[in-house]
Amino acid sequence: MDKFIITGGNKLFGDVTISGAKNAAVAIIPAAILADGVCRIENIPNINDVSIIARILQQMGANVKMVNKSTLEIDPRHIVSPVASYELVHQMRASYYLLGALLGRFSRAVVAMPGGCDFGVRPIDQHLKGFAALGADYSLEGGVVNVHADKLTGNNVYLDVVSVGATVNIMLAAVKATGLTVIENAAKEPHIVDLANFLNSMGADVRGAGTDVIKIRGVTHLNGTCYSIIPDQIEAGTYMVAAAAAGGDVTVRNVIPKHLESITAKLEEMGVVVEEYDEAVRIVRDGPLSKCNIKTMPHPGFPTDMQPQFAVLLSIANGTSIVNESVWDYRYRYVEELRRLGAQISVDGKIAVIEGVRELVGAPVKATDLRAGAAMVIGGLAARGATQIEDIEHIERGYENIVEKFQALGADIKRISVLEQVSAKAAL
Ligand code: EPZ
């Protein structure tokens, strides 16, 4: 019920430090289920999706301890049942990684169908196809996926679509299977590589992560480990776009610039200056923005998770830009909200046509999902006047301390509880 209130128009200046990657953390935390000892995971982002997945493991019997604000220790040895309940699982998409992890450990998994952002149909057929190739049977009844194998045996799996989730789940199920599993047409996202590095640090034998062929030779035992998660590429991209949209000079720290190449290339095409350092990028924008076209693709293509944020930037660029969303069936629910700020966008299926306008003007809007919510924040920062964003729980699922980080860059943004708003009105 809480809201963000933003008064736009301030340019952004200074440094912002990026947290650990959400989409790596939500794969690595369930992967710890496969260990025969304690896993210490560092650079964990302090976000709701991480708390939920950690709570699910705890509820299943794991010892989960927050050692400090970004380090989590998981001792999974007390998990005795391969069942994950609906109550927490339905709150997030990545809870489907419990399927692969529990299957890998117990040869059985019973997990409610996951929730998460609504981009139209989100099938898991490729995950199930992978489990079946390893020798598992599955059924889907009453909203629960039930997977079972007498014995998991390595095999070749060709993914019909490049799927991050299916690649992760098959890796998790195969890592302790007998023999060799080869995933072809695998996803190549940085968090796939991070998961492979985590598993290898436990004693797994995973090769080729980051290419489209991943080979996993099963091992019988995985030990506990200590591992630090990579920085969040999408959080970094979001601050880069925010600096470009509001204008100013911002250094985004704790990043791997190579992971940001597709974002950097598009910003440069639009006339934004991007300087790359070893672990930082500096964004400078004081001139006009030029139109550009974007097509979302699996990594290393332009990430779908940056599409809504870029739509805001294109809304204030000179000229007409075309966005082609080729990953998800429908990822334009936010467009109606962006129009409230004065953006001129028309959508036809997977294509959005954006006519740049001179300025956006603040208005009340909603965060329709996580990245859509980030786009609303950027819109509010760039707009003239006040923007009020509702449904911010979507944003807080994936961005650590977003209000504080933007305030430190000079933005006029605050989080208010609805109670505060009611008492402020009463005082008038
Ligand atoms: C991951 O979702 C990310 N989530 C998403 O980020 C991201 O948008 C997406 O990858 C694409 O990059 C996490 O990592 C937790 P997919 P995932 O399986 O794994 C189709 C964010 O904002 N498909 O790669 O669920 C599917 O319909 C989130 O941080 C099948 O057809 O995505 C889609 O069109 C939101 N069958 C395409 O593949 C399947 O079995 C890519 O989906 C699986 C997927």
Side-chain angles (χ1 to χ4, degrees):
M1 290 294 278
D2 294 355
K3 296 175 183 180
F4 289 164
I5 308 280
I6 302 173
T7 304
N10 290 6
K11 289 192 172 188
L12 303 180
F13 291 97
D15 291 10
V16 58
T17 300
I18 297 307
S19 305
K22 168 182 91 82
N23 289 345
V26 297
I28 284 174
I29 294 169
I33 291 176
L34 292 157
D36 296 331
V38 178
C39 294
R40 185 183 168 98
I41 310 169
E42 296 169 355
N43 204 27
I44 289 269
N46 185 4
I47 52 175
N48 290 348
D49 268 11
V50 162
S51 325
I52 295 169
I53 195 85
R55 279 216 314 275
I56 296 176
L57 261 63
Q58 205 162 30
Q59 209 182 49
M60 293 171 71
N63 254 334
V64 180
K65 198 165 71 185
M66 215 57 216
V67 179
N68 59 46
K69 78 174 191 24
S70 59
T71 305
L72 195 63
E73 263 183 17
I74 302 173
D75 183 348
R77 287 172 291 189
H78 305 292
I79 299 180
V80 286
S81 153
V83 182
S85 76
Y86 171 78
E87 174 201 356
L88 287 171
V89 165
H90 82 279
Q91 295 181 31
M92 66 181 293
R93 189 75 195 159
S95 51
Y96 57 28
Y97 293 151
L98 294 165
L99 282 169
L102 291 169
L103 186 63
R105 168 148 168 201
F106 295 102
S107 296
R108 172 134 198 250
V110 183
V111 180
M113 281 295 279
C117 294
D118 177 7
F119 312 139
V121 187
R122 295 186 71 175
I124 59 163
D125 57 299
Q126 299 301 307
H127 306 228
L128 298 174
K129 170 178 153 171
F131 298 150
L134 300 181
D137 295 324
Y138 59 83
S139 63
L140 242 167
E141 246 173 78
V144 173
V145 190
N146 199 321
V147 197
H148 168 262
D150 289 334
K151 181 172 185 258
L152 288 169
T153 310
N155 201 348
N156 281 15
V157 185
Y158 180 86
L159 296 181
D160 301 328
V161 287
V162 180
S163 160
V164 171
T167 305
V168 167
N169 248 336
I170 299 166
M171 284 164 74
L172 296 175
V175 83
K176 289 180 83 179
T178 307
L180 181 70
T181 298
V182 180
I183 310 175
E184 290 182 75
N185 201 24
K188 297 182 279 209
E189 269 65 6
H191 36 287
I192 301 279
V193 180
D194 211 33
L195 173 66
N197 289 340
F198 174 71
L199 292 169
N200 286 342
S201 77
M202 293 158 84
D205 183 356
V206 181
R207 295 171 196 210
T211 75
D212 49 18
V213 181
I214 301 179
K215 294 185 178 166
I216 306 142
R217 191 166 293 280
V219 295
T220 49
H221 165 83
L222 290 174
N223 39 264
T225 185
C226 181
Y227 189 81
S228 182
I229 287 181
I230 51 166
D232 197 305
Q233 161 211 17
I234 303 299
E235 189 198 12
T238 301
Y239 284 96
M240 290 165 79
V241 172
D249 183 344
V250 171
T251 300
V252 183
R253 298 196 181 276
N254 186 35
V255 299
I256 299 173
K258 175 100 189 127
H259 293 170
L260 302 170
E261 273 173 353
S262 58
I263 298 165
T264 299
K266 286 292 156 190
L267 286 175
E268 286 177 336
E269 203 178 317
M270 294 182 73
V272 178
V273 176
V274 184
E275 288 174 10
E276 281 186 12
Y277 300 92
D278 285 348
E279 293 181 356
V281 286
R282 178 179 172 207
I283 311 299
V284 184
R285 205 276 282 181
D286 55 11
L289 295 162
S290 316
K291 70 181 173 78
C292 89
N293 297 336
I294 282 171
K295 180 172 184 179
T296 67
M297 306 269 277
H299 191 80
F302 184 86
T304 171
D305 294 344
M306 285 302 301
Q307 184 256 98
Q309 301 89 316
F310 259 82
V312 178
L313 199 58
L314 297 172
S315 294
I316 49 169
N318 288 328
T320 304
S321 307
I322 296 178
V323 176
N324 182 343
E325 171 55 59
S326 85
V327 175
W328 293 110
D329 279 346
Y330 196 71
R331 200 171 189 170
Y332 289 124
R333 285 177 64 218
Y334 69 89
V335 163
E336 205 178 308
E337 302 303 313
L338 204 45
R339 284 193 194 119
R340 289 181 212 280
L341 299 179
Q344 287 198 12
I345 308 181
S346 59
V347 176
D348 185 2
K350 293 190 158 201
I351 305 290
V353 178
I354 305 178
E355 308 269 357
V357 295
R358 205 172 53 81
E359 63 171 5
L360 297 175
V361 182
V365 291
K366 283 195 177 106
T368 52
D369 64 52
L370 168 60
R371 307 303 172 189
M376 293 309 127
V377 172
I378 295 171
L381 295 172
R384 175 167 55 81
T387 294
Q388 179 171 310
I389 307 177
E390 283 181 20
D391 296 346
I392 57 169
E393 64 281 0
H394 288 295
I395 304 173
E396 293 179 337
R397 275 186 38 220
Y399 288 90
E400 176 173 322
N401 294 339
I402 189 167
V403 169
E404 294 76 6
K405 287 186 184 185
F406 273 122
Q407 280 173 345
L409 294 174
D412 185 345
I413 175 170
K414 59 187 179 211
R415 184 186 203 286
I416 58 155
S417 73
V418 172
L419 274 179
E420 271 175 54
Q421 201 181 29
V422 170
S423 40
K425 271 194 188 147
L428 287 174

